[in-house]
């Protein structure tokens, strides 16, 4: 890996150009080049071709992002609204995690630039929206080759003019933003937790209550998806289906390695067709299937066991799928596995049947939980009646989580929405969420028959509320146990006469 700049253990270097020192630039403490000579600095200034003007087109969702900003402007007249993209987060020492723009920022702009900030400044007609970005690197100073975000280190950026054409917004240099905000006056709302420098610039004009209202509004604005968002979610689901197919085709390789092969196989599809995985994949085999959010993905993949794969592709526009299948590694469920799987499938069918406009959001959860409680009573694991079990929540020992969640740019989308608008609200056309019942019998649970222990099953699909009912976005991926077996068989190579 090339030597990188380290702001944490840095020393500063001032580059002298024509007798004038530029702004200090941080350098690695133990770097090989402690100084920059004036001759080198001057040499680096010259001999570069003039950047060519690139013919850029508006982003596909430019009309949708403009409509979202207008709705935001109407909600908070006369106030400054500040929505940052966020900063790089340190992974270890001087290496950072891959940057992912804050959801609120990407939702309102379509941009994903690290350090970007959307500012809505109040005016007589509503607000003037400006996208504050880092412009192209300045070749007249040492920034482009010495700074950690200089273009010789991280690649070229769009110019501010190009950004205006792409996003349909006025643009400005983000480095001037803190001073501009400090000079301005009036109440400010900001999406907190993404940019400490910008927050500090407006700290005396914000309140936690007002900022929370802004976050809640932006979360509830995403409860109902527009046509563009639904299309992106379908893309994410379609890529996810192909990722599941990849995993089945490569299960033989996972059996001689580990769950990591499953994780890597799906990740390849996510990176080739999308931006990334939308969340850390759960690739749980054998007794790991009973761990709800198994993330180590380092266990063996053994024929005869189950594989619980919970994974989703995130599109280039940051919309994610979230799908789970519990697959028989050998290609066929044994009797106990099928019994548990079919019970979860029946619960999911009940949940899906409850999804329609005007229904309570929690109806699909209640329908699925009623089936699971009934199965646990039928198997002698719990004592009925089911109404008592559900009232006391006794079934949760084996089905700990809720039966679904909103889906969108966050895998658990709209999380800051008010309870009365979300889990205690009603369904409306355009809402997209998961339906994902599960049963999980821990290896050390002495309250269940021994043959159940170490078995976990979850079936998760992504569903769109339509005008007259619902549509399963992930319908291309089989769910019923016999259909899963047939699907797996169709994807695996047929043994030859010498195999």
């Amino acid at each position: 890996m090339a030597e990188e700049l380290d702001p944490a253990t840095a020393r500063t270097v001032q580059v002298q150009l024509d007798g004038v020192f530029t702004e200090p630039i941080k350098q690695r403490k133990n770097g090989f080049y402690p100084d920059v000579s004036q001759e080198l600095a001057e040499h680096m200034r010259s001999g570069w071709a003039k950047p060519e003007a690139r013919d850029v087109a508006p982003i596909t969702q430019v009309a949708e992002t403009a409509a979202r900003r207008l709705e935001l402007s109407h909600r908070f007249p006369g106030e400054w609204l500040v929505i940052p993209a966020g900063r790089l987060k340190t992974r270890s020492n001087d290496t950072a995690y891959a940057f992912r723009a804050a959801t609120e920022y990407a939702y309102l702009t379509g941009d994903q630039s690290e350090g970007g900030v959307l500012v809505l400044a109040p005016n007589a007609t509503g607000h003037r929206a400006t996208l504050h970005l880092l412009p192209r690197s300045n070749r007249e100073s040492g920034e482009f080759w010495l700074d950690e975000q200089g273009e010789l280190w991280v690649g070229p950026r769009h110019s501010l003019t190009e950004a205006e054409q792409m996003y349909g917004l006025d643009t400005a240099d983000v480095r001037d933003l803190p001073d501009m905000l400090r000079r301005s006056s009036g109440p400010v709302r900001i999406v907190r937790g993404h940019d400490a420098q910008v927050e500090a610039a407006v700290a005396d004009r914000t309140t936690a209550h007002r900022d929370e209202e802004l976050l809640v509004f932006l979360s509830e604005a995403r409860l109902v998806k527009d046509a563009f968002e639904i299309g992106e979610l379908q893309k994410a689901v379609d890529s996810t289906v192909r990722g599941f197919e990849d995993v089945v085709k490569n299960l033989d390789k996972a059996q001689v390695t580990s769950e990591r092969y499953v994780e890597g196989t799906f990740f390849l599809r996510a990176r080739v067709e999308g931006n990334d995985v939308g969340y850390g994949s759960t690739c749980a085999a054998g007794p790991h299937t009973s761990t709800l959010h198994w993330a180590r993905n380092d266990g063996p993949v053994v024929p005869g066991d189950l594989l619980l794969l919970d994974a989703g592709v995130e599109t280039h526009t940051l919309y994610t799928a979230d799908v789970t299948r519990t697959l028989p590694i050998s290609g066929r469920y044994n009797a106990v596995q099928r019994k548990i799987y079919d019970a979860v499938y029946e619960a999911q069918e009940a949940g899906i049947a409850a999804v329609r406009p005007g229904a309570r959001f929690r109806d699909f959860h209640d329908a699925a939980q009623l089936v699971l409680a009934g199965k646990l009573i039928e198997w002698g694991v719990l004592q009925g009646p089911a109404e008592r079990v559900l009232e006391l929540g006794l079934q949760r020992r084996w089905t700990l989580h809720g039966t679904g969640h909103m889906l969108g740019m966050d895998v658990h989308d709209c999380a800051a929405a008010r309870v009365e608008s979300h889990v205690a609200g009603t369904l409306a056309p355009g809402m997209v969420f998961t339906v994902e019942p599960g049963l999980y019998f821990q290896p050390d649970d002495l309250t269940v028959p021994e043959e159940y222990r170490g078995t976990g099953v979850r079936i998760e699909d992504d569903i769109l509320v339509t005008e007259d009912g619902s549509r399963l976005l992930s319908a291309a991926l089989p769910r019923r146990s016999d259909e899963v077996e047939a699907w797996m068989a169709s994807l695996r190579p047929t043994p030859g006469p010498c195999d």
Side-chain angles (χ1 to χ4, degrees), residues 52-357:
E52 294 184 5
R54 288 175 285 189
D55 185 17
V56 296
I59 59 172
T60 305
Q61 69 272 40
V62 68
E64 285 81 0
T65 54
R68 296 165 193 167
R69 293 191 300 271
L70 183 60
E71 186 179 1
L72 176 62
S73 175
H74 289 160
R75 174 61 180 83
F76 299 108
E79 300 180 80
W80 289 77
L81 307 173
V82 181
I83 300 93
R87 301 283 183 175
L88 293 173
K89 297 186 185 301
T90 299
R91 182 180 185 273
S92 177
N93 188 25
D94 58 356
T95 60
Y97 287 104
F99 179 72
R100 200 277 196 186
T103 291
E104 295 79 13
Y105 174 86
Y107 177 74
L108 292 168
T109 68
D111 178 51
Q112 299 178 35
S113 299
E114 184 266 329
V117 183
L118 173 68
V119 176
L120 273 64
N123 60 22
T125 59
H127 289 85
R128 178 184 177 183
T130 304
L131 191 57
H132 296 258
L133 300 169
L134 197 62
R136 294 292 306 269
S137 288
N138 180 5
R139 300 294 174 99
E140 295 300 311
S141 74
E143 180 264 340
F144 83 103
W145 67 285
L146 286 172
D147 187 86
E148 62 179 338
Q149 292 302 306
E151 290 182 300
L152 286 193
W153 286 92
V154 299
R157 296 185 287 269
H158 287 291
S159 70
L160 296 184
T161 300
E162 290 167 345
E164 288 182 0
Q165 295 169 354
M166 294 172 64
Y167 303 115
L169 279 162
D170 292 337
T171 59
D173 190 331
V174 72
R175 292 171 295 190
D176 300 328
L177 178 60
D179 285 341
M180 185 275 281
L181 289 172
R182 280 189 284 266
R183 291 193 304 268
S184 65
S185 61
V188 177
R189 297 178 189 262
I190 186 170
V191 177
R192 298 191 185 199
H194 299 295
D195 196 316
Q197 184 182 22
V198 176
E199 285 184 36
V202 297
D204 60 339
R205 296 156 57 198
T206 63
T207 68
H209 175 70
R210 289 206 308 268
D211 293 346
E212 176 67 15
E213 285 184 334
L214 172 62
L215 185 62
V216 168
F217 174 81
L218 291 173
S219 192
E220 293 187 1
R222 303 197 307 275
L223 284 169
V224 174
K225 270 56 180 179
D226 58 37
F228 172 82
E229 294 180 288
I230 294 168
E232 289 301 295
L233 285 165
Q234 187 65 69
K235 286 181 189 176
V237 169
D238 292 346
S239 288
T240 298
V241 169
R242 289 188 284 273
F244 274 71
E245 292 172 349
D246 296 338
V247 167
V248 172
K249 291 175 182 177
N250 287 279
L251 269 179
D252 58 333
K253 299 180 180 67
Q255 290 175 43
V256 297
T257 52
S258 74
E259 295 164 344
R260 292 284 169 90
Y261 205 96
V262 174
E263 181 180 20
T265 299
F266 187 86
F267 180 70
L268 178 61
R269 177 66 66 174
R271 287 293 282 167
V272 167
E273 294 193 1
N275 177 60
D276 206 330
V277 289
Y279 54 95
S281 302
T282 293
C283 309
H288 294 159
T289 58
S290 61
T291 301
L292 268 64
H293 287 165
W294 177 252
R296 299 175 203 167
N297 298 337
D298 59 358
V301 179
V302 179
D305 285 348
L306 295 175
L307 169 69
L308 190 156
L309 176 58
D310 184 338
V313 172
E314 179 185 73
T315 65
H316 294 292
T317 56
L318 306 185
Y319 288 85
T320 186
D322 183 6
V323 176
T324 305
R325 289 293 182 270
T326 307
L327 309 173
I329 295 169
S330 61
R332 293 190 65 82
Y333 299 98
N334 65 33
V336 173
Q337 292 167 350
R338 189 182 303 275
K339 176 182 179 179
I340 297 170
Y341 185 97
D342 288 349
V344 174
Y345 172 77
E346 186 177 330
Q348 192 195 33
E349 283 284 272
I352 292 171
V355 176
R356 58 185 175 276

